[in-house]
Amino acid sequence: MRPSRRNVLAAASAAVAVSADAVAAQARAMEPTGVRPPATAQPPSRELRALLQEIDPDRIEATVRKLASFGTRHTLSSQDDPKRGIGAARDWILAEMKSYAKASGGRMTAELQSYVQQPANRIPVATRITNVVATLRGSVTPDRIYVVSGHYDSRCSDPMDATSDAPGADDDASGVAVAMELARVMAGRRPAATIVFAAVAGEEQGLYGAAHMAQRFRSADADVQGMFTNDIVGSPTADDGTKDPYTIRLFAEGVPSSETPEQADIRRSVGGENDSATRQLARFVRDTADNSATGMNVRVIYRRDRYRRGGDHIPFLERAYPAARFTEPAEDYAHQHQDVRVENGKQYGDLPEFCDFAFIARVARVNAAALWSLAQAPGTPRGARILTAALTNSTELTWTRGPEPDLAGYEVVWRETTEPDWTHAIRVGDVTKHKVDLSKDNVFFGVRAVSRAGYRSPVAFPDPQA
């Protein structure tokens, strides 16, 4: 029987139960908060739960303390002192990444990615900036890439002070520890797509290392379908002492930083401000990582970053890659960008003693759940379109079939225009066109791919096609 507008919503609800392995099972597996998960939620597989259990708070603590022990990791600090400065930190991170790669059977490589930054803002003299990059090559679709990073440079009160102590435990040894722990845990596994684990430099001086890495990807026309930076993820304690130990913020922009005038015209015409590729990536993180397996609530913030701040996801956004930033729920500014000192009995400085290593481990699990699910799922569908030549009260969608050998088919999803998350999903099979008896003028639609193992891709938001 052909669906009608009267019965399509009821049919969709039944279809979700089949296509997404049963809403009831999802609800039991999801939400530490007790909130009903979106229709697109993906309960963690046994494989993923086993991976998450290997993330070790003690190893994360050891990484943070080791990075803090280099005294300062300022971008302008010594590059050849074996014990102090950014060079010592760089060499230690590389050695650790190479030790993880030994478990990969040759699939993971670790290398230095360097260039000389000529004098620029906060770079008074030509300075070598070096990223440490470990790449775990995908076993099925290796050209599809996902990136996770933290920045290993640090600073104290004066951003140009390259000699005073700047332990940088929270900002951002914590984020580097997340990327390194994920590299260690995933090295012995076989993701379908490629995952890049990076510790970048030059962030405090102006996002230089991340910009270099993003431009290398763009110059190679690399298919980076998602990037996460972890920056200041070390503590759930705010400056007033309140704690929120089971929440992590995820900053995700709406209007793309790379948007062209033509793309802006389309966005305005369809109302797509909340449906950028980065917003779909953020929804995917909630779908896969806001659950009992991570023990965390992912609080998506509809902004590119905090006021007057910026992170290493921005160079990726500027080059048209979906990217988002993880940051702790509330910051304590006495323990970031501060000289180490005691004033009126209060300790200042970004010291390891103010980090919560169990919290960082939970943040790492959120990252791992999202990255592993992205890498195992098919890629985000390409060429998604809504056909608009005919004025009808139904909606016809088309898309391009993906190249994945384990592709099982597709799902069409939708929601009211006032809803933040997808509320309905229907399996439509291994096709590249589907018609829904709902008005395209009244709801938002999307398309996602499904693998034979049941992994779902992020949603592709369709453009209009006359």
Side-chain angles (χ1 to χ4, degrees):
M1 178 179 69
R2 180 181 176 82
S4 69
R5 281 183 291 279
R6 177 172 294 179
N7 65 27
V8 73
L9 294 178
S13 296
V16 169
V18 175
S19 66
D21 304 316
V23 170
Q26 288 178 348
R28 289 191 298 271
M30 310 298 292
E31 36 86 10
T33 60
V35 177
R36 183 185 177 93
T40 47
Q42 302 186 51
S45 66
R46 183 179 304 173
E47 172 190 49
L48 177 55
R49 285 184 178 274
L51 184 157
L52 299 182
Q53 289 173 359
E54 292 182 25
I55 292 172
D56 187 348
D58 292 338
R59 284 182 173 270
I60 287 172
E61 178 176 0
T63 296
V64 171
R65 292 188 181 280
K66 180 66 177 180
L67 289 171
S69 76
F70 293 112
T72 179
R73 305 187 304 277
H74 194 283
T75 297
L76 304 176
S77 64
S78 174
Q79 300 210 17
D80 53 18
D81 187 317
K83 294 183 179 180
R84 182 180 177 87
I86 196 166
R90 171 201 65 211
D91 295 344
W92 179 80
I93 295 169
L94 178 63
E96 288 294 296
M97 292 292 208
K98 285 186 173 180
S99 73
Y100 306 155
K102 291 179 181 178
S104 72
R107 294 183 304 280
M108 177 182 280
T109 58
E111 61 184 352
L112 299 180
Q113 185 186 87
S114 297
Y115 81 105
V116 175
Q117 174 63 49
Q118 296 303 314
N121 183 48
R122 293 188 177 181
I123 304 288
V125 297
T127 302
R128 180 168 295 279
I129 293 177
T130 303
N131 302 325
V132 186
V133 180
T135 303
L136 180 58
R137 186 171 173 81
S139 59
V140 180
T141 51
D143 291 339
R144 178 161 50 95
I145 299 168
Y146 301 96
V147 180
V148 60
S149 77
H151 70 86
Y152 73 99
D153 62 307
S154 65
R155 58 162 285 191
C156 51
S157 298
D158 179 355
M160 302 305 293
D161 181 353
T163 58
S164 297
D165 281 352
D170 192 359
D171 186 13
D172 184 37
S174 65
V176 174
V178 167
M180 291 180 67
E181 181 67 357
L182 297 191
R184 183 189 72 83
V185 168
M186 293 186 184
R189 290 176 162 84
R190 291 179 174 270
T194 293
I195 305 177
V196 174
F197 311 88
V200 303
E203 193 273 350
E204 299 289 7
Q205 305 310 105
L207 314 181
Y208 289 106
H212 178 68
M213 179 167 59
Q215 186 56 48
R216 282 179 59 132
F217 281 128
R218 179 48 67 202
S219 297
D221 198 25
D223 185 20
V224 178
Q225 294 198 12
M227 182 272 182
F228 302 111
T229 186
N230 289 265
D231 195 351
I232 312 179
V233 295
S235 172
T237 305
D239 52 4
D240 64 356
T242 59
K243 295 178 182 290
D244 190 359
Y246 300 102
T247 297
I248 185 67
R249 289 185 291 175
L250 180 62
F251 286 86
E253 73 172 14
V255 176
S257 296
S258 62
E259 187 178 69
T260 66
E262 294 77 15
Q263 290 168 334
D265 286 343
I266 293 172
R267 172 180 54 78
R268 285 190 291 265
S269 72
V270 302
E273 291 80 8
N274 196 21
D275 281 283
S276 65
T278 293
R279 288 281 166 88
Q280 306 303 346
L281 185 65
R283 290 187 178 104
F284 185 92
V285 173
R286 291 200 61 219
D287 284 346
T288 57
D290 189 319
N291 55 48
S292 61
T294 67
M296 292 290 275
N297 166 43
V298 179
R299 182 181 180 185
V300 177
I301 307 293
Y302 286 171
R303 288 194 170 105
R304 186 171 76 167
D305 212 316
R306 298 103 73 229
Y307 283 102
R308 300 179 60 193
R309 309 295 288 274
D312 289 322
H313 59 310
I314 292 176
F316 283 80
L317 292 169
E318 292 172 340
R319 290 159 179 80
Y321 290 127
R325 173 188 180 134
F326 287 107
T327 296
E328 62 198 28
E331 299 168 70
D332 186 341
Y333 301 106
H335 304 306
Q336 55 177 265
H337 296 187
Q338 291 282 348
D339 290 337
V340 178
R341 67 195 190 280
V342 176
E343 283 186 6
N344 300 320
K346 180 180 176 65
Q347 177 71 62
Y348 288 82
D350 193 354
L351 298 162
E353 66 199 70
F354 297 107
C355 288
D356 181 329
F357 303 107
F359 174 79
I360 303 173
R362 288 193 294 275
V363 174
R365 292 186 184 107
V366 168
N367 278 259
L371 280 166
W372 188 255
S373 299
L374 285 165
Q376 294 300 80
T380 304
R382 298 187 185 277
R385 300 285 187 270
I386 285 183
L387 304 187
T388 60
L391 296 179
T392 70
N393 283 316
S394 61
T395 302
E396 189 167 9
L397 299 122
T398 67
W399 56 90
T400 302
R401 191 181 190 279
E404 295 83 4
D406 63 340
L407 181 65
Y410 292 88
E411 293 177 350
V412 169
V413 302
W414 69 85
R415 70 182 199 274
E416 293 289 331
T417 61
T418 53
E419 286 287 336
D421 295 310
W422 301 107
T423 55
H424 295 81
I426 55 172
R427 287 290 293 269
V428 299
D430 192 359
V431 298
T432 57
K433 180 182 290 188
H434 186 75
K435 192 174 200 177
V436 181
D437 197 10
L438 285 174
S439 173
K440 52 189 167 290
D441 297 320
N442 295 343
V443 298
F444 287 134
F445 284 96
V447 180
R448 67 175 181 173
V450 184
S451 74
R452 294 194 191 106
Y455 284 100
R456 271 88 174 163
S457 76
V459 170
F461 187 70
D463 287 334
Q465 179 175 305

